[in-house]
Amino acid sequence: MKKNIALIPGDGIGPEIMAEAKKVLDAVARRFSHEFSYTQIIAGGCAIDQFQNPLPKKSLDDCLSSDAVLLASVGGPKWDSVDASIRPEKALLGLRSGLGTYANLRPAKIFPQLASSCPLKNEIVKDSIDILIVRELTGGIYFGKRGRSPDGKEAFDTEIYSDWEIERILKVGFESSLKRRKKLCLVDKANILESSRLWREIAKKMSPDYPDVELSFMYVDNAAMQLVRNPSQFDVIVTSNMFGDILSDEASQITGSIGMLPSASLGESGPALFEPIHGSAPDIAGKGCANPLAMILSCAMLLRYGFDMDEEADLIENSVEKILDEGYRTFDIAGLEADELRAKGKLVGTVQMGDLVVSQILDK
Ligand code: IPM
Ligand code: MG
């Protein structure tokens, strides 16, 4: 198959991990006789430096005319003081709304090989953790009306959702849970927010269409607590943009492997967007030690959800597992064994980790 992939390396460790992702995609193309071409896209802080605009029109247009978009990470302290209207994060929001990718899938799971880096006690994680957060991504308070009073002493942001926006994201929630353990939990604040009450109303209306899915409801404060108290109870969580932002950080952290987690942002049609959950990690940028695996696993999601290439996606995921089975680790997932691994030559940097995955892919 011939496909064009838009690559957004962005800022911080972005370019380093993107280089590894591209190597992996090339290896998959070779193995399966696909033809992948790439369009390099500038967005984020580096675009502010060059064009005073985090997402120049040409960047968005190039993404829109690609078959899928792969993004590494944007932002960093260098741009902390730029005007709010051109912050690097604006590139992300512009991409999400420009591409119409309203459904953000954020898996949070423990890799058995890395179970010891989970910060929770063994007895809490009795049945492991394998959660999929389905976060609404193009609506709610992120995109609602905001402003200041004329004297600047009052400010407001608006949480606003229409029935069709809620319905389409809930559909993704129901359908994702059908492919998993068939449990869907709608997380909201329906004891306070009218918008949450509308989410619940619509979820209850849709539920009979999915008789195999067990639907439950949970207030967001309780969900934040339950995620550390008993994370194994969750299968799929569906929630609004803001709550999903917060809970997905929490969920990824309790797995202990934030450097391992990919995400997919899908729309109705048009190219979807794939990116690791972690940020641009400016503190380790340029040191060659960043973990490229979340970025590489984002390529697997791209192939699976973007191009329906399940076999290719499986191969990437299995290759990563194999490398972990063989004991290779970057420093962030080395845990207490870092010194021992270093002595054995198994503590590897960004490029070596990418090479290991590539040789695994070409080997099978
Ligand atoms: C995320 C990030 C973004 C968000 C920021 C960088 C705008 O936190 O993707 O979770 O809030 O959505
Ligand atoms: Mg976030």
Side-chain angles (χ1 to χ4, degrees), residues 106 135 245 248-249:
R106 297 192 166 186
R135 168 188 176 193
D245 177 44
S248 62
D249 264 25

Side-chain angles (χ1 to χ4, degrees), residues 48-85:
I48 299 175
D49 290 347
Q50 225 177 306
F51 304 104
Q52 288 74 53
N53 180 352
L55 185 64
K57 184 171 179 308
K58 177 164 184 339
S59 296
L60 179 59
D61 287 346
D62 284 349
C63 287
L64 281 165
S65 55
S66 72
D67 295 309
V69 182
L70 190 62
L71 180 143
S73 53
V74 296
K78 182 175 172 199
W79 301 280
D80 271 353
S81 53
V82 300
D83 189 77
S85 63

